[in-house]
Amino acid sequence: MRAMLISSALVAAFALSAPVVAAPTSLLPTEPETAQPSSRLAPLAADSAWTPRFAAAADELATALRSRDEAQWAPLLGGQWLSAADRARVRNLLGDRNSPFPPALFSHGATHRAILGWSAPASLSADERAAIENGQEAEALVCWSAGGNGAEAWPSTAAEADNRPGRSYACARIAYSIRGGTPTWRAFIERREPA
């Protein structure tokens, strides 16, 4: 009986000495965020310092993808960091007749290419635009399409560069860096499945 009284007293003492903590408030927003409009894409300016860099990367990537040789395209898409699932997805995109890649890259007609960047807001000053142009990192979308006269309808937003079946173009995103003295780039190929 004495042991029960002592243990009850200890429990009561611990309960009184423990600080009272209020229920945490949520860090998540209580109202849904408003959807932001997608940034529009526009062709890179011919006189941009980035245009020849992205054009050379796009040519190298197209050659590697046309080879269908994983040893050639995998290093350009991340090499050892490219997951097995991503490797399989790219292999499927190159071999699936419903994918936009075979008609865009493997047709017997002319292949057209567009290099697209995100449109800068009109509110940017000339100094801000120059800072972007002179930066050390940039991203662009490169898209290929076969046939036609080169005036194909290209994606107008990045969401449309999803390589879904039925697209008349195939796209890759290229991230380019000139930091550290050695220019480097890596390509990413996304695929959104139809709903």
Side-chain angles (χ1 to χ4, degrees):
M1 179 79 160
R2 181 182 274 181
M4 285 179 81
L5 288 175
I6 292 174
S7 64
S8 296
L10 283 174
V11 168
F14 284 131
L16 291 176
S17 66
V20 176
V21 178
T25 58
S26 175
L27 297 177
L28 299 175
T30 56
E31 296 181 21
E33 292 184 33
T34 56
Q36 299 296 321
S38 297
S39 294
R40 305 299 288 174
L41 297 174
L44 256 55
D47 62 347
S48 169
W50 289 102
T51 299
R53 293 177 179 129
F54 282 113
D59 290 345
E60 187 177 347
L61 180 60
T63 299
L65 292 172
R66 281 186 185 111
S67 75
R68 289 190 169 119
D69 180 5
E70 188 172 334
Q72 290 187 41
W73 56 256
L76 305 178
L77 297 172
Q80 65 186 11
W81 295 282
L82 186 63
S83 72
D86 287 336
R87 287 173 188 269
R89 187 174 41 78
V90 172
R91 274 193 307 272
N92 290 340
L93 279 170
L94 295 175
D96 180 0
R97 65 184 181 143
N98 294 320
S99 162
F101 278 90
L105 291 176
F106 304 109
S107 76
H108 297 293
T111 297
H112 304 284
R113 179 189 69 205
I115 301 173
L116 308 167
W118 287 262
S119 296
S123 61
L124 288 182
S125 69
D127 289 339
E128 290 170 321
R129 289 178 187 273
I132 291 170
E133 181 67 23
N134 295 325
Q136 295 187 312
E137 295 177 345
E139 282 193 7
L141 286 170
V142 59
C143 298
W144 300 275
S145 181
N149 59 6
E152 288 78 11
W154 300 107
S156 59
T157 65
E160 294 173 5
D162 57 4
N163 298 309
R164 277 192 330 198
R167 294 282 192 210
S168 62
Y169 49 79
C171 298
R173 179 172 51 92
I174 297 177
Y176 206 107
S177 173
I178 54 173
R179 290 185 187 276
T182 304
T184 59
W185 60 271
R186 178 181 174 184
F188 301 85
I189 296 177
E190 280 94 21
R191 169 88 182 246
R192 185 176 352 143
E193 297 301 328

